[in-house]
Amino acid sequence: MIETYMQSISPAVQALIAGVFTWGLTAVGASLVLFVRNVNKKLLDVALGFAAGVMIAASFWSLLEPAIEMSQNLNIPSWIPPATGFLIGALFLRLIDVILPHLHLQAPINEAEGIKTSFRRTTLLVLAVTLHNIPEGLAIGVSFGAHGADPQAVSILSSLMLAFGIGIQNIPEGFAISMPLRSEGLSRKKSFFIGQLSGLVEPVFALIGVLMLEIMHNLLPYALGFAAGAMIFVTVEELIPESQRNGNSDVATAGLIIGFTLMMILDVAFK
């Protein structure tokens, strides 16, 4: 039923709906701060590891694999478009990482990255999660845009499963941002509001991604590779180190394996 409805609307509206869905699940995760008193660092590290596993699996099965398939019919080696897009996507996120002031979730204030500012710690924490959500939104938009341009290479179910997988990992992500905000002294309601607000960037960039792809139709495999590179950069730069910071490496790694496996199953089973 959902598949039939999504097929009947434009890729831009599809991407926007999917982005709002993932934002909504960020809000679900952030709402846990209204009921939980203290953050369990071991649980937080498992959640971050889970999110990393989902991101890695989605980068290949939802983005790079279809990019490689699309490149088979081009008059160049099939690895060039996805590899080029991947490198550019990682470089793009690196430039944002250097410029945007932000602070990783469990880091001390003296480890803030980006341009030096007088922003408060809470502002820097939210900017870090916003940075993380940019490639997720782009990935959703690019996937639905690719389906609209080439339904044989990217099915609507594959795009839906990508959005579902990102949405599922946004639940622990929302929790992971709202609870540290609470520990910084913010009220429960304010921690929830800021935590869910961090996910607003996803529908925005989902729409940007699909609209850019409609303009640059011939760059489909490059765009898919770009989204994958951006997602992998954030995963390796942010999620994995944060999940290992508190010495809970075993459970954090288990969370990553579970997240990777779940996303792989979703992508392969519903391709």
Side-chain angles (χ1 to χ4, degrees):
M1 184 176 178
I2 294 177
E3 180 186 0
T4 303
Y5 170 72
M6 294 295 280
Q7 289 279 24
S8 68
I9 58 181
S10 70
V13 177
Q14 292 172 355
L16 184 59
I17 292 173
V20 170
F21 167 76
T22 58
W23 174 26
L25 289 187
T26 302
V28 170
S31 70
L32 295 175
V33 75
L34 301 173
F35 311 102
V36 178
R37 288 186 175 275
N38 299 306
V39 59
N40 183 311
K41 289 191 175 181
K42 183 173 288 189
L43 179 60
L44 183 62
D45 291 340
V46 172
L48 290 170
F50 178 86
V54 170
M55 295 273 277
I56 294 170
S59 295
F60 177 73
W61 274 282
S62 295
L63 299 168
L64 286 176
E65 186 181 40
I68 294 169
E69 291 178 5
M70 287 180 180
S71 302
Q72 300 290 341
N73 299 323
L74 302 179
N75 295 322
I76 56 175
S78 60
W79 56 266
I80 289 180
T84 302
F86 187 89
L87 292 173
I88 295 173
L91 178 61
F92 173 71
L93 259 292
R94 173 55 181 163
L95 291 175
I96 296 179
D97 186 64
V98 170
I99 296 170
L100 183 71
H102 62 284
L103 178 68
H104 296 306
L105 291 177
Q106 304 180 67
I109 188 67
N110 63 342
E111 292 184 13
E113 300 179 12
I115 295 174
K116 298 300 180 184
T117 70
S118 58
F119 290 167
R120 295 174 59 187
R121 178 182 174 87
T122 52
T123 303
L124 293 171
L125 287 169
V126 173
L127 287 174
V129 178
T130 301
L131 170 65
H132 174 121
N133 287 338
I134 288 174
E136 294 181 8
L138 284 174
I140 291 169
V142 166
S143 180
F144 280 100
H147 166 71
D150 190 350
Q152 298 301 318
V154 181
S155 69
I156 188 66
L157 273 177
S158 178
S159 297
L160 288 170
M161 287 305 105
L162 172 64
F164 180 72
I166 289 176
I168 290 298
Q169 63 96 31
N170 275 357
I171 296 176
E173 252 183 39
F175 174 75
I177 181 63
S178 62
M179 288 305 294
L181 291 174
R182 173 62 177 158
S183 66
E184 292 290 325
L186 274 68
S187 68
R188 291 181 186 275
K189 289 183 178 179
K190 193 167 185 179
S191 297
F192 161 71
F193 177 76
I194 296 176
Q196 64 82 28
L197 197 62
S198 67
L200 179 59
V201 70
E202 290 194 10
V204 173
F205 274 87
L207 193 56
I208 290 173
V210 72
L211 292 177
M212 287 178 61
L213 205 56
E214 288 181 355
I215 296 171
M216 300 178 291
H217 173 73
N218 293 332
L219 299 180
L220 267 174
Y222 293 91
L224 288 165
F226 179 95
M231 286 179 68
I232 291 295
F233 179 90
V234 166
T235 302
V236 177
E237 162 75 12
E238 183 179 333
L239 288 178
I240 293 176
E242 286 176 15
S243 72
Q244 306 283 330
R245 184 183 286 270
N246 295 313
N248 298 315
S249 59
D250 290 341
V251 292
T253 301
L256 187 150
I257 296 299
I258 293 169
F260 183 95
T261 304
L262 175 63
M263 191 65 218
M264 177 181 65
I265 291 171
L266 289 174
D267 262 317
V268 175
F270 296 97
K271 185 174 288 292

